[in-house]
Amino acid sequence: MTTRAYGRTSWPWAAVAVLLFWQTWFLCHVYATERSGVRWTCDSEGCGTNQLAGGALFLAAPTALGAAVLAAPFLGLAGAGLAVLLAAFGLLMGREDDHMVVAAYGLAGLGAVLVVAGAARSLRRLGRPRDPEENGPAQDGGRVPVRALVRRVLAPGTLLVAAPAAVVVSAFVHAALDGPRWVMMLGLNGTIALLFALGTARLRHRPGVARSLPSGEGAVHAPARLHSLTARGTDFVFDLTVLPEGGDPYRIEVQQPIDLQDVRIHRAALVRLDPRRPWRVDLPPRPPAAELARARAAARTDDLPAAPRLRTPAPGTPALVAGAALTAVFLTLLAVV
């Protein structure tokens, strides 16, 4: 996947990388400034502590690795170098003794080499000719179904997912400003997990391509006119204007592996859609013959109005909006209390 496509579809992963970079610095800084004051409890099975500085370096290593991996599509080797540099600076800033000075300067040198190597590699890539098709066909601009999105934001299922996510993010932000450190760490890593799941769900999202219906419940049929038919991998992409009954027409792409309705011959189709979520559209493989005939006749008329293209919202968008609103409410209440 190209950097442009990665950034467009998985910005939550970029946010995860930023948080992991910050956590790398924070853990190394805690170790450097507090390690001498750690109280260890020892028994026959070994020694342990409940203070963060005692295990900070063990936590910083996977954190730095995760940050470098998630930043690789943007920064390449420079992402790994940045993680190593942050770890080195965390060990050097405000240290209580010189125990880690040699290791910190060694890490800083390694990080600088990786950053320079990554920058040189990026400059070489900039000089190469770009393939115009490397990011897939360009998507036309279009409107977002705001009313349908608002209904989804207020749906009970969306709020059920958004409320716990808002609690986790609120705990992280509030504790980072003024709260217990263990709450901040739990909230931070909970936020990272939520953003990673969101980025995974959005990774293959295409803004102009309809999403299939999860089930046939509540679906209705509508005629559609074909504008163009192209191939994308092993699938066909049908560029359609949908004519829903009692609603405004809109244009959308439907991607399916087989043309069972002979859409390319008749230049018209019968689609199945969810009226509450108009971006969920598909071509039923065995539509009723009478409805298919009426749909073809309706779509062949020459006086069809120009329809705006509908941009399909990315997965998790309603929960993200609801979660952001609830987080703002929770943080306001915590600030007042």
Side-chain angles (χ1 to χ4, degrees), residues 58-69:
F58 296 100
L59 297 174
T63 297
L65 179 61
V69 170

Side-chain angles (χ1 to χ4, degrees), residues 34 37-41 47-56 181-182:
E34 301 178 14
V38 174
R39 295 185 298 272
W40 297 90
T41 302
C47 296
T49 180
N50 59 358
Q51 293 179 259
L52 180 60
R181 183 178 286 173
W182 67 269

Side-chain angles (χ1 to χ4, degrees), residues 96-331:
E96 295 180 343
D97 54 45
D98 295 333
H99 178 70
M100 294 296 293
V101 170
V102 175
Y105 279 117
L107 287 175
L110 175 61
V113 170
L114 290 174
V115 169
V116 172
R121 187 176 181 184
S122 298
L123 289 175
R124 286 198 301 269
R125 286 182 175 177
L126 288 176
R128 298 176 186 172
R130 294 185 178 181
D131 182 359
E133 297 296 326
E134 68 175 358
N135 289 314
Q139 296 290 343
D140 297 336
R143 63 183 178 91
V144 177
V146 177
R147 292 182 180 178
L149 274 177
V150 170
R151 288 196 294 269
R152 296 302 303 167
V153 167
L154 300 176
T158 302
L159 296 177
L160 188 64
V161 173
V167 171
V168 170
V169 178
S170 300
F172 162 52
V173 175
H174 180 68
L177 297 175
D178 182 24
R181 183 178 286 173
W182 67 269
V183 175
M184 185 200 71
M185 292 300 296
L186 287 177
L188 171 61
N189 287 278
T191 302
I192 287 173
L194 291 171
L195 287 171
F196 185 85
L198 180 63
T200 302
R202 297 162 69 99
L203 190 58
R204 298 188 180 279
H205 169 67
R206 288 182 176 270
V209 180
R211 294 169 58 189
S212 60
L213 278 73
S215 66
E217 297 181 4
V220 299
H221 290 109
R225 170 182 281 184
L226 178 69
H227 294 283
S228 64
L229 177 62
T230 57
R232 183 176 294 157
T234 58
D235 291 346
F236 292 112
V237 179
F238 304 85
D239 188 357
L240 303 169
T241 290
V242 180
L243 308 168
E245 184 178 357
D248 297 329
Y250 59 90
R251 191 166 171 177
I252 198 168
E253 292 182 353
V254 178
Q255 183 169 331
Q256 294 194 182
I258 303 176
D259 179 13
L260 294 176
Q261 291 190 26
D262 292 329
V263 180
R264 54 187 160 181
I265 296 175
H266 296 278
R267 312 299 296 178
L270 180 70
V271 300
R272 185 177 58 171
L273 60 94
D274 184 348
R276 300 166 300 174
R277 293 171 287 180
W279 59 88
R280 289 195 176 273
V281 183
D282 63 12
L283 294 169
R286 291 179 293 276
E291 290 192 31
L292 180 58
R294 285 195 296 269
R296 288 172 177 172
R300 284 181 187 145
T301 58
D302 296 329
D303 57 348
L304 288 179
R309 186 175 292 277
L310 193 73
R311 291 182 64 84
T312 56
T317 298
L320 182 64
V321 173
L326 289 174
T327 299
V329 172
F330 292 158
L331 289 175

